[in-house]
Amino acid sequence: MRVVKKFGGSSVATTEKIKNIAKDIAKNYKHGDEVVIVVSAMGKTTDELIKLAKEISKTPDVRELDSLLSIGEQQSISLLSMALKEEGCKAISLTGAQAGIKTGGVHTKNKIESIKADRIENHLQNGEIVIVAGFQGVNENGDITTLGRGGSDTSAVALAAALKCECEIYTDVTGIYGVDPRVYVNAKKLDKISYEEMMEMANLGAGVMETRAVEIGKKYGVRIYVGQTLGVETGTYICDNSEIIEKKAVTGISINKNVIMVNLENFSAIPKNVATIFNNLAEHSINVDMISQNEVENVKGSIGFTCPLTDEHFLNNSLKDIKKHIPEIELTKRTGVIKISLVGIGMISNFGVAAKVFEVLSDIDAQFYQCTTSEISISLIIKESDAVKVVERLAQVFSI
Ligand code: ADP
Ligand code: ASP
Ligand code: MG
């Protein structure tokens, strides 16, 4: 059997852990399987590398940043390859570029454009375990690129698509739960979840899988298994919706702490002004998320939007600019908020989900500042201090 197995940062955090993983992979190898391994950087290495760069510059050069961040995964592949050789396996480590992973886009947020898997195929034919550095590739200039945080998942699923096999993602939890089990201990593990629901949950903050990884899985029909590193419990399959018999109204709740909310008030919210505002935010590379607008005609119009808290530095610059263009505008930033999102394909055909959500908020007297919906989700901005209470009650009401 051929398989791509990916081990996340916490699973390779120490050399002891790397040795234990190598012992386990050696069993697959000795069984005659064709094994490709993708690894992340050890523990919090990527965060530490970012911290180093920020000690030099508030806005580090992105080409250099990519080059710096890629070393985390390179350390892991070499150590794992050495550990596998100690176990008597033939093994070879490859960087993203050596593995034929070509990317396009902008530095630090690259997308995989193609994978030329010939070299991996040759090594597999030669009876070697191939260990590929996750999170990285090479662009058309021959420069090292990275795929955005959590991008090793994407490397793994894209490789599984290119090598036409299943992808197993090993991490520090026993599978995908309706709610992050670190936030709600009574959360239930899912046996299966559809690509669509997982994509929505990931996009809305469930960090257990990277959104693009799931998107690639759906596009190329790669079944993705998520389980615990060296665990014995069965994990969760991310698969086609047709494989899921019971379609609940709400499958899961995502929590996103990386949120800041902005209110713009007392200005004429005519399209010209609104265009000025959002063009300015785009020029500062701010990823605007939820937008709501009231009183279009009135001179006392208002707009609210959210964006990532990690963009705050760029946001401050943009808001200063906006004030220059529209001097009468009143700007308020709201931090200490959190976005919670209920996700479920069943929402398409079930009614009353929103009603139940608002009833929960009313019961526990929790304020919400903004609300948006998609076909399969409802998102709310609430006070961070209310989050645990709200999530627990919603999880109970929707049995997740
Ligand atoms: P890795 O380093 O292995 O990629 P991550 O930290 O990226 O691990 O993802 C695993 C974490 O995802 C878990 O520790 C858990 O706290 C978090 N998580 C968030 N939402 C969920 C969920 N719905 N189910 C399981 N884990 C979740
Ligand atoms: N090491 C990278 C990160 O921390 C990629 C990954 O872990 O998936 O984001
Ligand atoms: Mg991850």
Side-chain angles (χ1 to χ4, degrees):
M1 191 187 80
R2 175 180 282 195
V3 66
V4 173
K5 288 172 176 257
K6 178 250 167 180
F7 294 92
S10 56
S11 312
V12 293
T14 61
T15 47
E16 211 49 48
K17 289 188 173 188
I18 291 178
K19 284 193 226 170
N20 288 335
I21 288 172
K23 283 196 179 73
D24 198 58
I25 300 168
K27 287 186 207 152
N28 285 111
Y29 175 77
K30 287 173 185 160
H31 185 253
D33 292 343
E34 287 186 315
V35 191
V36 175
I37 306 290
V38 174
V39 275
S40 295
M42 294 170 77
K44 301 268 174 240
T45 304
T46 310
D47 291 331
E48 281 153 20
L49 292 169
I50 292 174
K51 192 165 160 270
L52 286 180
K54 292 265 162 89
E55 280 171 22
I56 303 278
S57 160
K58 256 189 183 168
T59 50
D61 180 87
V62 284
R63 179 187 177 276
E64 303 310 329
L65 189 59
D66 264 359
S67 184
L68 178 73
L69 296 190
S70 70
I71 65 174
E73 272 68 15
Q74 277 164 231
Q75 169 175 278
S76 306
I77 54 169
S78 306
L79 291 171
L80 182 58
S81 183
M82 290 172 197
L84 283 165
K85 287 175 203 275
E86 285 294 315
E87 291 300 320
C89 306
K90 279 167 76 179
I92 182 158
S93 70
L94 299 177
T95 63
Q98 288 169 332
I101 301 176
K102 296 261 159 46
T103 64
V106 291
H107 276 294
T108 77
K109 291 177 186 168
N110 271 263
K111 288 194 164 66
I112 296 179
E113 279 188 343
S114 65
I115 297 182
K116 196 167 178 296
D118 309 24
R119 180 158 180 194
I120 297 181
E121 291 282 3
N122 287 342
H123 288 300
L124 289 175
Q125 264 174 27
N126 197 26
E128 288 163 294
I129 298 173
V130 184
I131 307 127
V132 181
F135 179 55
Q136 58 173 264
V138 62
N139 67 15
E140 57 180 8
N141 302 327
D143 288 332
I144 301 173
T145 57
T146 64
L147 308 176
R149 299 307 305 268
S152 294
D153 293 340
T154 313
S155 310
V157 180
L159 280 167
L163 296 164
K164 301 192 171 38
C165 62
E166 255 194 32
C167 183
E168 298 174 359
I169 304 277
Y170 290 100
T171 182
D172 58 359
V173 280
T174 50
I176 296 164
Y177 286 73
V179 188
D180 185 345
R182 296 188 199 285
V183 175
Y184 177 52
V185 284
N186 294 324
K188 298 187 183 80
K189 189 168 65 189
L190 303 162
D191 296 332
K192 289 178 183 172
I193 182 167
S194 67
Y195 293 115
E196 290 81 0
E197 285 172 318
M198 192 63 234
M199 252 152 60
E200 191 88 344
M201 272 182 71
N203 194 29
L204 293 168
V208 63
M209 277 298 291
E210 212 271 335
T211 314
R212 256 186 295 144
V214 190
E215 201 179 322
I216 293 171
K218 177 177 157 62
K219 186 166 173 195
Y220 295 97
V222 178
R223 254 175 137 240
I224 306 168
Y225 171 81
V226 180
Q228 188 172 36
T229 303
L230 307 178
V232 285
E233 246 184 72
T234 311
T236 305
Y237 278 96
I238 307 173
C239 56
D240 200 83
N241 189 32
S242 60
E243 282 191 48
I244 297 165
I245 298 155
E246 193 205 358
K247 293 191 174 56
K248 293 158 74 178
V250 178
T251 303
I253 302 176
S254 292
I255 302 155
N256 187 354
K257 293 182 180 168
N258 185 18
V259 177
I260 186 164
M261 200 181 147
V262 179
N263 282 320
L264 309 171
E265 285 166 308
N266 280 332
F267 72 107
S268 168
I270 52 169
K272 182 173 158 282
N273 283 341
V274 177
T276 303
I277 292 165
F278 286 97
N279 276 327
N280 197 285
L281 291 164
E283 276 159 25
H284 286 85
S285 308
I286 292 160
N287 202 346
V288 174
D289 181 20
M290 302 162 90
I291 303 174
S292 60
Q293 177 175 5
N294 297 318
E295 300 286 351
V296 185
E297 310 279 321
N298 202 314
V299 284
K300 290 201 178 305
S302 72
I303 284 189
F305 69 88
T306 63
C307 70
L309 185 58
T310 41
D311 281 350
E312 192 171 6
H313 173 72
F314 304 105
L315 176 69
N316 290 340
N317 292 338
S318 174
L319 294 181
K320 268 189 221 144
D321 262 9
I322 292 171
K323 183 90 184 155
K324 270 188 224 148
H325 288 295
I326 314 170
E328 67 278 18
I329 205 164
E330 282 172 24
L331 311 156
T332 12
K333 280 192 308 181
R334 194 189 289 278
T335 49
V337 291
I338 200 163
K339 175 171 158 181
I340 56 159
S341 309
L342 296 92
V343 175
I345 278 199
M347 274 185 212
I348 297 174
S349 50
N350 282 278
F351 51 86
V353 176
K356 274 192 193 163
V357 171
F358 292 121
E359 214 170 284
V360 165
L361 294 180
S362 153
D363 277 356
I364 55 182
D365 200 19
Q367 181 64 267
F368 76 96
Y369 301 111
Q370 211 162 359
C371 173
T372 52
T373 59
S374 83
E375 238 186 349
I376 65 163
S377 68
I378 298 177
S379 297
L380 298 157
I381 298 289
I382 59 170
K383 258 194 238 145
E384 195 169 0
S385 51
D386 284 336
V388 173
K389 209 167 43 177
V390 170
V391 168
E392 281 185 5
R393 277 297 278 279
L394 288 171
Q396 284 156 6
V397 166
F398 291 102
S399 313
I400 50 181

